[in-house]
Amino acid sequence: MSREKELEFEELSLFLEFYSTNVSGIQREDPIHPSNCLVEIVDKFGKSKALQGLKQAINDTLEDTASWDSNTVSKLDEQLLDNGTITLSTLRTRYWSKYKSILKRGKIKNETEYYLIRGLECELDNGIPQEQRALLTELVRDFEERV
């Protein structure tokens, strides 16, 4: 794997370990803990294939947290940063196709999308460029005016 893919693998696996242990409450020693399963997958199929599965697990996590309000996301992001781990907000902007489709559409359709965009708009450390952040602010304002 390329250096870039190695770094991505490391970031995602650290996030998944933290989330599974601290949010989902799976004991780290439990054989079903995703980090333990990941080791088995790497051993059987290699890191490159394991990265594909890891990305799917991250997408599942993003879907599981889709309805979280901005305060909940911010609290988790703070814990992740304190742990030296990539934030949920950063993962949302990087991997979540729902986020990208909202940007492309230029309109928030429902409350789930609203909470996603609102959370990203509020989080200053998620790496969103200023021009994209301005678009998020506009989308949130438009949705709030409609409801």
Side-chain angles (χ1 to χ4, degrees):
M1 277 191 340
S2 70
R3 178 74 180 133
E4 181 180 292
K5 294 290 183 189
E6 290 280 351
L7 289 172
E8 181 180 26
F9 184 91
E10 183 67 23
E11 275 184 333
L12 298 183
S13 60
L14 287 172
F15 173 86
L16 188 61
E17 179 173 349
F18 184 93
Y19 183 87
S20 299
T21 305
N22 297 292
V23 177
S24 298
I26 304 171
Q27 294 297 314
R28 183 61 180 89
E29 301 78 27
D30 193 324
I32 67 161
H33 191 286
S35 295
N36 297 326
C37 297
L38 186 60
V39 170
E40 290 178 26
I41 293 169
V42 169
D43 289 344
K44 284 184 182 178
F45 303 105
K47 220 177 210 182
S48 186
K49 289 282 186 191
L51 180 58
Q52 294 173 12
L54 188 52
K55 286 180 181 180
Q56 183 56 51
I58 295 300
N59 277 321
D60 292 345
T61 301
L62 297 178
E63 290 294 329
D64 289 345
T65 61
S67 63
W68 286 15
D69 62 44
S70 58
N71 288 333
T72 304
V73 172
S74 293
K75 286 177 187 175
L76 179 61
D77 282 351
E78 190 175 306
Q79 292 172 339
L80 290 161
L81 284 172
D82 289 345
N83 194 58
T85 306
I86 191 169
T87 65
L88 177 62
S89 295
T90 300
L91 290 173
R92 284 178 167 182
T93 61
R94 188 184 295 177
Y95 296 105
W96 205 7
S97 59
K98 185 175 285 192
Y99 169 73
K100 292 174 184 171
S101 67
I102 295 168
L103 290 181
K104 187 175 181 179
R105 181 183 340 115
K107 184 178 181 180
I108 297 172
K109 292 193 304 187
N110 55 45
E111 284 189 23
T112 300
E113 290 183 358
Y114 170 78
Y115 286 119
L116 165 68
I117 299 301
R118 181 76 176 114
L120 292 172
E121 176 206 17
C122 293
E123 180 57 48
L124 299 176
D125 294 334
N126 58 16
I128 296 176
Q130 189 58 40
E131 59 276 359
Q132 198 173 83
R133 188 176 301 282
L135 174 60
L136 298 182
T137 301
E138 183 180 324
L139 294 176
V140 165
R141 188 175 345 139
D142 290 348
F143 182 80
E144 290 173 344
E145 288 173 359
R146 287 194 324 262
V147 292

